[in-house]
Amino acid sequence: MVRQPAVLDRLGGRLGNGFSSRLHDERTASWLGIWLGVSFGVAFVTGLISHFMQQPPDWLRWPSRPVNLYRVTQGLHVIGGLATIPLLLAKLWTVYPELLQWPPLRSAGHAVERGLVFLLVAAALFQLVTGVLNIAYWYAFPFFFTVAHYWTAYILIGALIIHGVNEWAKVRRTVMKRPEDGVDRRAFLFTVAAASGAVVLTTVGETFSPLARLAVLAPRRPGIGPAGLPVNKSALAAGVTTTARKPDWTLTVTGRVERELTFSLAELRALPQHTERLPIACVEGWSASGDWSGVRLRELLRMAGAAADARVRVESLERGGPYRTSWLDPPHCRDPLTLLALDLNGAPLDLDHGHPCRLIAPNRPGVLQTKWLHTVVVT
Ligand SMILES: Nc1nc2c(c(=O)[nH]1)N[C@H]1C(S)=C(S)[C@@H](COP(=O)(O)O)O[C@H]1N2
Ligand SMILES: [Mo]
């Protein structure tokens, strides 16, 4: 028999009884596996929602209601993802004697199984690390976050499903049977759950405002920023401080319309104004509601004589950057809550919130709530 190196001996115990502590046992690993399966499953589904809301395929028409749907799914994605970190660390700690087993490969089947586990661990760590860096606005990675995070999600969920099927019999056996011991195991699982709970409590306030004061670990807090709302990209960063302040600013409605229309700010203010309470729900997890006032998009489309099934592209004064334009499908174009906002919380828009005019619509990712508008193109 091949002897395992002494260092592995010390780290993980001997082959065959790799679990030296009772905490490294199958029952603990099974429970953590179930929790991780649920949390990565939720992250996968909510992640797909976010992806396809931002890049809908032609046949997909996202509804504009419920107003707070995206706020909830993206809050689940980001806060749930953060709560997964203690679970994954605990799982890795519980099974590391297995990961260090010796000899590392016993057969072809064993090699495939270990390769899969390696892929699963690597993908899970990658998703959590890039996700955390992204919500901290620390773009330390040399690739485009959304693309890498999106494709790795399929690798992760694929490996997770195969792993779940492989381990299911073991999980059922260990979870169903009554343990003879269990006190320290239960305490361990309780500690892990409490750590996840603490992460939720100290971050969920970034999207659930009653707990805003507890959100000490959240990168953004609602209530901080001009007019009591956070700012994602400032006017300075977008390079619009001069153009957005020009007194001769106009908004043009053009494209497939019967009449092309151009409005000055005073003319827009002379149109019927509507006030709606709507959230900005940033992809990065924070969200905050405001009272927005302005002109209904559908009113402008009607005045310009656009078709009932028109799609609309709004364009910003911002010159570059991926978020200078966004699309609205018919459900959002028709929704009376979709506003070209001029005021926020009773005062004219702050320059950083999109002065003189920005889009705000229900059930829509923050990246698509385009600021500093100057053109509405009907297609
Ligand atoms: N033109 C333009 N609009 C934009 C952005 C941008 O970078 N450029 N950022 C978007 C993002 S990511 C978010 S979350 C919201 C935030 O709006 P706020 O800064 O008013 O809170 O604006 C959106 N509108
Ligand atoms: Mo955002």
Side-chain angles (χ1 to χ4, degrees):
M1 173 171 165
V2 198
R3 267 200 60 75
Q4 63 177 342
V7 56
L8 290 190
D9 232 17
R10 241 172 291 127
L11 271 172
R14 278 165 195 290
L15 179 68
N17 69 353
F19 291 117
S20 48
S21 154
R22 266 187 295 162
L23 297 182
H24 295 296
D25 72 356
E26 286 186 349
R27 194 176 166 85
T28 311
S30 293
W31 274 118
L32 290 170
I34 292 171
W35 295 352
L36 280 165
V38 171
S39 66
F40 277 122
V42 169
F44 184 67
V45 172
T46 52
L48 285 187
I49 290 176
S50 186
H51 177 85
F52 286 111
M53 266 197 185
Q54 289 170 70
Q55 283 148 16
D58 281 341
W59 48 267
L60 194 68
R61 293 281 173 267
W62 277 106
S64 58
R65 308 289 179 96
V67 171
N68 283 298
L69 178 64
Y70 184 75
R71 182 182 204 173
V72 171
T73 62
Q74 196 60 8
L76 263 178
H77 186 79
V78 172
I79 307 300
L82 291 171
T84 307
I85 294 171
L87 299 183
L88 184 65
L89 294 179
K91 172 86 177 185
L92 291 177
W93 185 80
T94 305
V95 300
Y96 81 77
E98 284 264 40
L99 299 177
L100 299 174
Q101 59 188 260
W102 196 265
L105 303 174
R106 286 194 291 264
S107 66
H110 186 231
V112 171
E113 197 186 302
R114 298 209 71 193
L116 183 82
V117 169
F118 176 79
L119 195 66
L120 183 58
V121 172
L125 288 172
F126 180 85
Q127 292 301 71
L128 292 180
V129 169
T130 55
V132 166
L133 290 180
N134 192 67
I135 64 167
Y137 302 88
W138 187 24
Y139 306 112
F141 23 78
F143 42 80
F144 192 46
F145 166 76
T146 47
V147 176
H149 200 70
Y150 174 70
W151 288 107
T152 308
Y154 288 106
I155 299 175
L156 173 56
I157 210 74
L160 188 64
I161 289 171
I162 302 173
H163 183 69
V165 170
N166 276 348
E167 303 288 317
W168 184 239
K170 192 167 35 172
V171 169
R172 264 190 59 163
R173 178 161 36 78
T174 50
V175 167
M176 291 298 185
K177 87 166 180 243
R178 221 165 221 300
E180 290 107 49
D181 52 4
V183 179
D184 50 359
R185 180 190 301 113
R186 209 173 296 156
F188 176 67
L189 285 175
F190 182 81
T191 307
V192 174
S196 282
V199 170
V200 170
L201 266 184
T202 50
T203 52
V204 73
E206 73 170 3
T207 175
F208 183 62
S209 46
L211 293 181
R213 292 172 55 130
L214 293 179
V216 289
L217 289 185
R220 287 289 157 100
R221 284 208 249 172
I224 297 179
L229 222 72
V231 167
N232 217 43
K233 191 176 204 176
S234 67
L236 188 64
V240 298
T241 43
T242 316
T243 45
R245 271 197 287 230
K246 279 195 176 155
D248 62 351
W249 171 89
T250 55
L251 182 81
T252 303
V253 184
T254 183
R256 293 188 51 180
V257 291
E258 286 166 15
R259 298 166 285 281
E260 188 170 299
L261 305 172
T262 298
F263 300 91
S264 68
L265 187 52
E267 286 164 344
L268 275 183
R269 287 198 178 278
L271 295 175
Q273 305 288 301
H274 299 271
T275 302
E276 307 291 354
R277 188 154 186 86
L278 291 170
I280 298 260
C282 181
V283 174
E284 271 122 28
W286 65 267
S287 64
S289 288
D291 292 314
W292 304 88
S293 313
V295 183
R296 285 182 175 153
L297 174 63
R298 72 171 189 187
E299 181 71 11
L300 290 185
L301 296 180
R302 191 189 55 76
M303 290 170 71
D309 61 347
R311 286 186 81 215
V312 161
R313 190 177 75 237
V314 291
E315 293 179 354
S316 171
L317 292 167
E318 193 184 353
R319 286 299 177 78
Y323 311 127
R324 59 172 297 279
T325 77
S326 70
W327 283 96
L328 292 115
D329 280 336
H332 277 101
C333 293
R334 280 195 286 259
D335 197 307
L337 297 185
T338 300
L339 300 181
L340 301 186
L342 309 172
D343 292 341
L344 167 58
N345 294 335
L349 280 180
D350 188 274
L351 196 58
D352 285 338
H353 281 310
H355 168 87
C357 176
R358 66 105 39 96
L359 178 76
I360 184 84
N363 187 27
R364 190 170 167 87
V367 291
L368 304 183
Q369 311 276 32
T370 310
K371 304 196 273 194
W372 313 292
L373 294 185
H374 82 119
T375 316
V376 174
V377 186
V378 181
T379 58

